[in-house]
Amino acid sequence: MQYYVDGFRGGDPDIKNATAKRRDRSEFAPLPEKVDVMIAGCGPAGLCLAAQLSQFPEISTMIVDPTPGPIEKGKADGINTRTMEMFQAFGFADKIKRESYWVNQTNFWMPDPEKPANIKRIGRVQDVADDSSEMPHILINQARIHELFLEVMKNSSTRLEPDYSWSIVDLEVDTTTDEYPVTVTLENNGINAGERKTVRANYVVGCDGARSNVRKAIGGELHGDAAHQAWGVMDILANTDFPDVRQKCLITSAHEGNVLILPREGGYLFRMYVELDKLNPDERVANRNFTIDDLIAGANRIMQPYSIDVKEVAWWSIYEIGHRMTDRFDDVPPGEANSRTPRVFTAGDACHTHSPKAGQGMNVSMQDTFNLGWKLVHVLQGRAAPGLLHSYSAERWAEAKRLVDTDHEWARIMSAPAGESVLDNGDEPRFMRQFKANLEFTGGLAVKYGESALVGLATHQALAKGEEIGRRFHSAPVVRLADARQMQLGHVAEADTRWRIYAFAGKNDSSAPGSAIHKLADWLHTDSNSPVVQFTGRDEDIDGLIDLRAVFQQTFDQLAYEDMPALLCPTKGKLGLQDHEKVFCVDHKGLGDIFDMRGINREQGCMIVVRPDQYIAQVLPLDDYQTLADFFAGIYKPTAR
């Protein structure tokens, strides 16, 4: 963690200096008349976006929610490894690792062949594959995730806070103007219930759930189907003779249905998803009037010969499975992408819904807005043309489709009777096989963005076989040269909308003058064609948009820091202080060699260009300056320096 760059300041370094120009939050202060970004919904998607935007005092952001305050319990609880990598960028992954339950194994239970009325454990699967991520798969109360995002917002220079008890009821887009073209109608749901206000915005993002008013206002509809199957979910404190209650379990009974057990944070709490009744095609789950007693009784029937003795119910709910998504995630009608750019977006449940049992909803929702956030920032800063925003719907729709399709299959298998979900050869149940096949997907690691202005060709993929273009950057252990600290290379990336270029040195390259690393750094620093020179603002630090890091094959004691080029030890901030944290070496204490682990060509080395949302955009030879220049020129506008 770096701070003091603008001078010494005591106290918590996570709390930034407040900007002088920020919104009046006093009790009777009016709502703003205009904002750059209006966010509807304080769920994971909305708060993830607000936390990003809060770091930029030049961007005015407002986030509204109809509830009177933050949630305290219930809803989602699964955080996959990819999302944990994102949380590292926001600075709170370590807090979550300390507080949460880590999913290490998933156990499978089915009817005992000798006594089918009883269940029997038939297998175990390691939940997170070795070296698939440095992060764990965890379970924790969704409210705690909200709290940590709210903390990031409150600690930012803008001191951003939600406007609770307000909801978007309608909006209109004026396509004839570029200045605050979206007129938003807000309605109060609190002490002044029914009061309406209008706010004009440059952009609106609807993270307002499956019944999204934002989606409806732009003509979006959820398309899909329902499984007509009722399920219950309960977070409970209970005693049980079931031996695997502190491990994730998928349980299938002979005739009573299925249960999913998810241990939770704190050592005592656990969640149970309990299959209930099949619904008629014209029936809604509310018609059945299920109670918590129905859930507990259903769980005890399915788990025979074991039972649960519930001492306290922290939260429970009934739901029915549905799989739906919209045909686009923004307000641009089909066929008009060449004549207009998006002003309104939807994210999360507002544009894709599915069952909660695959543990993907909260994760995919946050990844939606992590994709959108940096693009909004760069457009609002004037760095990029508004056309960049078309890429949000193009990239995230494909991933939502994958989510809905995969979850649809998973829900079908989970709800199939035991006799209908076993492979013909009897080796293992189909739901266990499906679970294994989906490990990459459930970890959030299957996302791969296709070729576009933001994702280059795979021409030089062989230079880094383990860092696939279009997928997230896969971290590995390194040692920082300046202080010999062991760390993960990917952890240098913060949620600050900057690009990273990781330059991996070739054989015998120690960054002496004339070496490939030295020449690349000098070109980036001084050449008029360099994207650093062309697209970094006059008042910005040299790494304000593009952050160069170098990784060498030698150990830290074999390199001379004084040989490093200026761009790898730049001066920054008000005091012009030198940054000593740009250079890394291979790990020398047995955690692994990043060149071997990620298939980096040792002879030539390479550079890996990573987007602000941590996805790989390019793999290039160290001397392919022109391709690098052309790539960034296709995204950004030159700045006067």
Side-chain angles (χ1 to χ4, degrees):
M1 182 177 185
Q2 290 181 300
Y3 46 99
Y4 300 151
V5 67
D6 291 321
F8 179 82
R9 177 174 65 89
D12 186 345
D14 282 328
I15 302 176
K16 310 295 194 299
N17 285 327
T19 183
K21 183 183 177 182
R22 64 185 190 278
R23 181 179 154 191
D24 181 1
R25 303 291 311 198
S26 59
E27 184 177 359
F28 299 106
L31 297 179
E33 296 180 358
K34 299 177 181 178
V35 294
D36 287 315
V37 182
M38 169 75 76
I39 304 169
C42 284
L47 291 174
C48 179
L49 179 59
Q52 294 174 78
L53 298 179
S54 70
Q55 308 305 309
F56 299 91
E58 70 272 25
I59 296 173
S60 57
T61 302
M62 183 177 182
I63 178 169
V64 299
D65 195 271
T67 62
I71 66 169
E72 295 182 359
K73 56 188 176 181
K75 299 192 176 181
D77 59 3
I79 301 296
N80 63 30
T81 54
R82 172 69 196 108
T83 300
M84 285 295 292
E85 293 170 3
M86 183 190 75
F87 287 169
Q88 176 67 36
F90 279 102
F92 55 74
D94 286 342
K95 285 184 181 179
I96 292 180
K97 285 195 288 186
R98 176 177 176 268
E99 297 176 18
S100 62
Y101 172 84
W102 292 28
V103 185
N104 299 306
Q105 295 284 327
T106 296
N107 297 347
F108 298 84
W109 290 70
M110 290 196 68
D112 185 340
E114 297 182 2
K115 194 173 183 180
N118 292 348
I119 58 170
K120 177 183 179 181
R121 187 195 306 114
I122 54 91
R124 306 177 193 262
V125 175
Q126 181 175 321
D127 192 83
V128 177
D130 292 341
D131 194 35
S132 61
S133 174
E134 78 279 12
M135 290 295 182
H137 171 198
I138 66 94
L139 297 168
I140 194 169
N141 184 5
Q142 178 177 326
R144 182 58 174 143
I145 303 300
H146 289 200
E147 187 177 9
L148 291 167
F149 275 129
L150 288 166
E151 188 176 282
V152 171
M153 293 158 56
K154 192 171 183 179
N155 289 343
S156 71
S157 61
T158 61
R159 302 294 192 263
L160 179 61
E161 297 179 43
D163 285 282
Y164 291 110
S165 298
W166 287 97
S167 58
I168 292 181
V169 294
D170 200 6
L171 61 83
E172 293 183 0
V173 181
D174 182 354
T175 59
T176 66
T177 182
D178 291 330
E179 295 295 319
Y180 304 99
V182 189
T183 300
V184 180
T185 302
L186 299 174
E187 183 171 278
N188 190 278
N189 306 100
I191 194 169
N192 297 314
E195 178 187 9
R196 293 197 171 193
K197 297 284 188 180
T198 59
V199 178
R200 293 177 61 191
N202 278 318
Y203 297 99
V204 173
V205 185
C207 308
D208 48 345
R211 296 180 176 87
S212 169
N213 285 334
V214 173
R215 184 190 69 241
K216 294 173 186 175
I218 61 174
E221 295 182 10
L222 288 173
H223 304 285
D225 59 23
H228 306 296
Q229 176 65 55
W231 282 76
V233 54
M234 54 183 176
D235 293 339
I236 56 177
L237 295 165
N239 290 329
T240 179
D241 55 352
F242 181 66
D244 290 353
V245 71
R246 294 307 297 171
Q247 297 190 55
K248 178 180 173 182
C249 294
L250 283 76
I251 303 170
T252 296
S253 68
H255 304 293
E256 299 294 342
N258 303 282
V259 159
L260 173 63
I261 294 179
L262 297 174
R264 286 279 297 275
E265 71 279 5
Y268 299 96
L269 186 71
F270 61 97
R271 170 169 289 192
M272 298 186 79
Y273 287 97
V274 183
E275 187 175 15
L276 298 171
D277 296 344
K278 193 76 175 174
L279 301 175
N280 297 319
D282 59 347
E283 188 179 19
R284 299 303 304 270
V285 71
N287 301 136
R288 293 294 183 95
N289 297 316
F290 290 112
T291 67
I292 183 62
D293 291 334
D294 293 318
L295 269 71
I296 295 170
N300 278 320
R301 286 195 303 270
I302 294 168
M303 294 176 65
Q304 289 186 34
Y306 308 103
S307 64
I308 56 170
D309 176 17
V310 178
K311 303 297 185 180
E312 181 181 325
V313 179
W315 174 82
W316 70 281
S317 183
I318 304 291
Y319 67 93
E320 53 189 299
I321 296 173
H323 305 91
R324 299 180 176 90
M325 62 182 295
T326 58
D327 52 3
R328 66 184 192 278
F329 291 1
D330 61 40
D331 64 319
V332 178
E336 295 187 23
N338 292 330
S339 58
R340 58 183 283 193
T341 55
R343 289 290 180 170
V344 183
F345 308 87
T346 55
D349 287 353
C351 47
H352 47 78
T353 65
H354 36 83
S355 78
K357 293 186 296 300
Q360 296 304 298
M362 177 163 57
N363 295 279
V364 175
S365 295
M366 288 184 284
Q367 294 297 334
D368 283 347
T369 51
F370 198 47
N371 177 290
L372 177 60
W374 67 272
K375 299 169 184 178
L376 280 172
V377 169
H378 289 177
V379 169
L380 286 164
Q381 288 176 330
R383 293 186 188 275
L388 174 64
L389 299 174
H390 284 302
S391 65
Y392 167 69
S393 186
E395 291 185 333
R396 294 308 297 170
W397 189 92
E399 291 310 314
K401 181 69 164 58
R402 187 208 304 258
L403 165 66
V404 169
D405 290 347
T406 302
D407 182 67
H408 188 282
E409 177 66 10
W410 180 240
R412 188 177 65 83
I413 290 173
M414 273 291 291
S415 295
E420 297 178 16
S421 61
V422 179
L423 293 174
D424 292 337
N425 60 17
D427 288 346
E428 63 181 5
R430 187 170 58 180
F431 75 149
M432 186 171 174
R433 182 183 64 174
Q434 187 79 2
F435 181 86
K436 291 179 180 179
N438 284 346
L439 279 176
E440 184 182 51
F441 171 81
T442 54
L445 308 176
V447 175
K448 182 180 179 181
Y449 296 135
E451 180 191 341
S452 69
L454 300 176
V455 178
L457 297 170
T459 308
H460 301 290
Q461 183 65 73
L463 294 176
K465 294 178 180 178
E467 298 285 5
E468 189 176 356
I469 296 169
R471 291 184 182 266
R472 110 305 190 184
F473 179 76
H474 192 177
S475 184
V478 290
V479 169
R480 193 163 57 202
L481 175 61
D483 57 359
R485 177 178 175 174
Q486 288 180 288
M487 60 181 294
Q488 287 283 333
L489 180 61
H491 293 188
V492 307
E494 299 179 1
D496 54 12
T497 77
R498 290 193 294 166
W499 292 75
R500 267 80 195 180
I501 298 178
Y502 298 107
F504 290 86
K507 186 178 180 180
N508 299 323
D509 188 335
S510 60
S511 193
S515 68
I517 290 287
H518 210 106
K519 288 161 71 174
L520 171 63
D522 286 347
W523 177 82
L524 284 169
H525 197 184
T526 62
D527 195 281
S528 60
N529 199 37
S530 156
V532 171
V533 173
Q534 286 211 4
F535 308 121
T536 305
R538 178 177 298 171
D539 298 325
E540 285 186 294
D541 288 330
I542 193 66
D543 60 358
L545 177 63
I546 300 171
D547 177 15
L548 176 68
R549 308 279 175 146
V551 185
F552 293 90
Q553 297 185 39
Q554 298 90 334
T555 56
F556 79 96
D557 54 343
Q558 296 173 325
L559 291 171
Y561 190 79
E562 59 270 22
D563 286 343
M564 299 300 149
L567 193 60
L568 289 176
C569 44
T571 54
K572 298 162 56 177
K574 294 178 181 178
L575 302 179
L577 297 178
Q578 191 174 24
D579 186 341
H580 296 282
E581 300 191 0
K582 303 284 192 184
V583 185
F584 304 87
C585 317
V586 294
D587 181 88
H588 62 289
K589 291 188 175 181
L591 293 181
D593 184 319
I594 190 171
F595 284 81
D596 291 338
M597 294 175 71
R598 302 295 171 253
I600 308 297
N601 186 296
R602 286 191 175 277
E603 194 67 31
Q604 302 178 50
C606 68
M607 55 175 152
I608 301 176
V609 182
V610 180
R611 303 176 356 167
D613 58 359
Q614 302 174 322
Y615 283 83
I616 298 170
Q618 293 274 9
V619 173
L620 298 171
L622 289 170
D623 60 357
D624 195 351
Y625 308 152
Q626 193 59 53
T627 299
L628 186 65
D630 291 343
F631 173 74
F632 281 102
I635 304 169
Y636 295 107
K637 299 182 287 187
T639 58
R641 289 183 61 82

